[in-house]
Amino acid sequence: MYQTFIGLEIHIHLLTESKVFCSCPNKYGSEPNTNICPVCTGYPGVLPSLNEEAVTKSYQVCMALNCQLNDTAVFERKNYFYPDMPKNYQISQFEFPFGIHGYFDVDLGEGNLKRIRIHDVHLEEDAGKMIHSGNRSYLDYNRAGTPLLEIVTEPDLESGEEAELFLQQFRQMVRYLGVTDGNMEEGSLRCDANVSINEAGKGLGTKTEVKNLNSSRFVRKALEYEIRRHKKVLSSGEKIIQETRLWDEDRSVTSSMRTKESSNDYRYFPEPDLPPYRPSAEFLKGIKESLIELPLDRKKRLCEEYGLSGQNLVFITAEKETADFFEETVSKGAPAKETASWLGGDVQKQVNITGTGLEASFLTPEKLSTLIIMVKEGKISQNAAKKVLSVVFDEDKDPLAVVKDLGLEQVSDTGELEKIVADIVDSNPKVAQAIREGAGKQIGFLMGQVMKATGGKANPKVAQELIKNIILKQE
Ligand code: ADP
Ligand code: ZN
Ligand code: MG
């Protein structure tokens, strides 16, 4: 029996106005080498200065991960030579990072939680980007010096699936916090996966590290591949070589990239140009107070408070914006279950059709609530509500006005409908007789006539009741 150990090293790009040690814009997708200055391109004689916004966001993550905070955090130089790092060292944290000894509870399904320990959370700067084309290589330093937060887990994960769930739920949390957009394709969330196996009870085995994993699915697939490979190697009596490997998505295999350099190759030493960082009690108190409800707690509360479950609950809590929109709509009077179905159904359909996000659309919780209540009270049909939705999603219009403009109001007024129904029953005596004798299906025919006479605007429930009552009365 083998035991599996997996530890993740996750990098997230922090959403800040400027870079972490200079005032260049922290922006993705600009023309190459337009967001650069002497600091982030490593000119001699320049001095870094620490970006408070990056620090604040780092501590938010530390607290959300239940970390202990070092009284004094120290920036250090991690020395290495590579063209994407013009200073020839990266400013990072090593011995005294912002946060240590935290944990994150991952939901393995149906509320079955597993606690994964967090080794540490540290702030560093990203490198530039190398672009290879033909037999030339190009350098873009826009990314150099952008704030990167690294989260290192203990090797507590035990399968590719657990690692995938961890990553998905971790990503959801940092997106809730608003500290990163977590876009794995654009590299604003990157993950390296470390794995070893050993005979049960014997502790950690020799690990390999897999890089180039730009989706949580690749993390699972690469780990599953590595676990199989480790088992094969060990079962044949050979040894695993500690090394870094690359995931090749096209071939669904990992292959050796380099044997791992040990950490003292980097000759870490304290950054002389930045003072040790000591967060004040007041600063930390402010961050603690500003912490929002995290996804796991929110899910639990929305389940208990509104009776949401299954796919509805997953959809509503996937993004903080959706959960906020849901709760606001309900607070305006719409019933919870209907609100959840509308948001997951027709509203999402509008988002998909128009390519406009909910926040960017003209739909507000107030308008959605009005719409749902109108349907519930029988003022408009479900189909009419869908038409109104597509208008108020795209244009700044009042749902009530749209209902009037499009003439979608249902006739629920019994007096008005009664006359119409009575006429129709009178002119279809055979059908009425058949219904009296038990041919319930024939009511559908009369309903069709009522709809025709009202241009589809009769409230079906009210009309049906009237048909039955009038026919019985004639008995
Ligand atoms: P390195 O010095 O090679 O970077 P670290 O000790 O810093 O290694 O750990 C990096 C990551 O690898 C962490 O997430 C850690 O949990 C994980 N890890 C370390 N040793 C093992 C092992 N033997 N098996 C599986 N994962 C491991
Ligand atoms: Zn700069
Ligand atoms: Mg390490």
Side-chain angles (χ1 to χ4, degrees):
M1 263 294 278
Y2 285 114
Q3 206 176 342
T4 302
F5 303 91
I6 296 168
L8 303 178
E9 294 166 287
I10 304 170
H11 285 93
I12 55 175
H13 245 144
L14 297 177
L15 285 169
T16 56
E17 280 294 310
S18 49
K19 294 187 181 181
V20 61
F21 300 120
C22 65
S23 56
C24 291
N26 174 22
K27 229 168 46 192
Y28 180 85
S30 304
E31 275 290 297
N33 298 310
T34 51
N35 302 329
I36 57 173
C37 75
V39 175
C40 53
T41 46
Y43 281 42
V46 296
L47 288 174
S49 68
L50 182 59
N51 177 343
E52 274 292 319
E53 198 189 0
V55 174
T56 301
K57 296 201 155 143
S58 302
Y59 277 97
Q60 285 175 341
V61 175
C62 288
M63 286 192 193
L65 291 173
N66 313 289
C67 284
Q68 286 173 27
L69 307 174
N70 275 316
D71 293 335
T72 304
V74 178
F75 288 98
E76 304 204 33
R77 289 188 182 180
K78 179 180 180 176
N79 297 280
Y80 65 91
F81 184 80
Y82 204 68
D84 65 4
M85 186 51 83
K87 298 199 297 283
N88 294 335
Y89 61 84
Q90 175 193 31
I91 303 179
S92 181
Q93 297 175 326
F94 188 58
E95 242 193 294
F96 302 101
F98 283 152
I100 53 174
H101 300 154
Y103 63 86
F104 181 79
D105 288 330
V106 57
D107 186 347
L108 299 179
E110 279 149 40
N112 172 21
L113 300 184
K114 176 165 178 167
R115 181 156 293 183
I116 306 302
R117 292 169 301 154
I118 303 296
H119 179 274
D120 77 275
V121 176
H122 61 265
L123 178 62
E124 59 191 27
E125 58 181 330
D126 205 351
K129 217 186 251 172
M130 278 186 93
I131 299 141
H132 307 285
S133 163
N135 57 3
R136 286 173 183 242
S137 287
Y138 299 86
L139 280 159
D140 175 6
Y141 288 121
N142 283 343
R143 201 178 66 181
T146 56
L148 210 54
L149 195 67
E150 181 171 347
I151 294 94
V152 183
T153 79
E154 296 288 357
D156 293 345
L157 295 157
E158 291 172 283
S159 69
E161 193 194 353
E162 282 186 14
E164 182 180 27
L165 288 170
F166 179 95
L167 198 59
Q168 288 169 340
Q169 290 167 34
F170 171 82
R171 176 175 181 274
Q172 180 188 32
M173 185 190 79
V174 286
R175 283 172 56 85
Y176 258 61
L177 289 172
V179 297
T180 184
D181 62 27
N183 187 330
M184 287 189 85
E185 271 153 45
E186 290 180 359
S188 48
L189 192 161
R190 311 200 281 267
C191 176
D192 301 332
N194 301 268
V195 56
S196 73
I197 66 171
N198 208 348
E199 281 167 45
K202 287 206 169 160
L204 300 171
T206 303
K207 70 162 180 157
T208 52
E209 174 175 357
V210 189
K211 288 184 179 293
N212 197 29
L213 302 168
N214 43 26
S215 91
S216 54
R217 197 169 52 88
F218 295 174
V219 171
R220 172 171 55 76
K221 285 172 71 181
L223 282 168
E224 284 170 352
Y225 176 88
E226 271 302 279
I227 293 166
R228 277 197 304 276
R229 191 181 67 83
H230 281 217
K231 280 184 185 161
K232 237 188 233 165
V233 171
L234 295 184
S235 307
S236 69
E238 283 172 64
K239 287 208 167 100
I240 289 291
I241 304 164
Q242 178 162 335
E243 62 183 350
T244 302
R245 299 175 70 88
L246 281 183
W247 174 244
D248 180 338
E249 175 56 20
D250 292 332
R251 292 166 50 223
S252 282
V253 297
T254 64
S255 55
S256 181
M257 178 172 113
R258 58 176 141 90
T259 50
K260 176 95 184 169
E261 52 297 80
S262 72
S263 63
N264 53 16
D265 280 349
Y266 290 124
R267 291 164 46 241
Y268 277 98
F269 66 87
E271 166 63 64
D273 293 339
L274 284 167
Y277 185 81
R278 297 187 184 86
S280 73
E282 204 165 327
F283 170 76
L284 294 178
K285 191 166 160 251
I287 291 180
K288 190 144 211 182
E289 283 167 359
S290 74
L291 266 196
I292 52 144
E293 188 178 30
L294 298 175
L296 209 54
D297 295 328
R298 187 129 196 206
K299 231 171 148 174
K300 201 165 154 234
R301 184 172 62 78
L302 292 199
C303 168
E304 286 164 3
E305 217 166 288
Y306 304 98
L308 296 186
S309 60
Q311 273 311 110
N312 266 352
L313 182 60
V314 171
F315 179 83
I316 294 298
T317 53
E319 304 278 347
K320 181 175 177 292
E321 288 70 24
T322 316
D324 289 345
F325 202 100
F326 165 80
E327 289 210 273
E328 269 177 63
T329 307
V330 173
S331 79
K332 305 277 182 221
K337 292 235 168 82
E338 275 90 334
T339 305
S341 316
W342 273 94
L343 282 171
D346 286 285
V347 173
Q348 188 54 32
K349 224 182 255 165
Q350 285 302 314
V351 170
N352 294 341
I353 292 170
T354 59
T356 306
L358 186 52
E359 326 77 58
S361 80
F362 284 103
L363 188 67
T364 61
E366 190 136 33
K367 289 177 185 173
L368 182 60
S369 171
T370 304
L371 210 57
I372 294 171
I373 292 171
M374 280 195 284
V375 175
K376 194 152 190 252
E377 292 179 344
K379 292 209 176 92
I380 57 173
S381 69
Q382 182 89 6
N383 271 333
K386 290 181 187 179
K387 280 185 204 153
V388 179
L389 175 68
S390 74
V391 176
V392 298
F393 190 90
D394 282 336
E395 298 168 56
D396 187 11
K397 283 195 171 158
D398 173 40
L400 287 168
V402 176
V403 167
K404 287 229 169 73
D405 285 353
L406 300 181
L408 293 172
E409 223 156 344
Q410 282 192 142
V411 185
S412 308
D413 177 343
T414 2
E416 200 174 322
L417 266 183
E418 201 165 347
K419 260 178 41 207
I420 300 170
V421 173
D423 282 350
I424 288 170
V425 172
D426 279 349
S427 39
N428 293 282
K430 278 191 190 142
V431 179
Q433 183 57 30
I435 293 171
R436 244 174 257 129
E437 285 164 7
K441 275 196 185 152
Q442 299 275 352
I443 292 178
F445 172 76
L446 295 184
M447 277 292 284
Q449 300 294 308
V450 175
M451 285 302 175
K452 214 165 154 191
T454 57
K457 286 193 229 158
N459 179 325
K461 243 165 109 187
V462 177
Q464 187 150 356
E465 280 304 302
L466 283 171
I467 293 174
K468 286 189 196 154
N469 289 344
I470 289 170
I471 290 179
L472 288 179
K473 242 192 262 163
Q474 287 178 342
E475 221 169 359

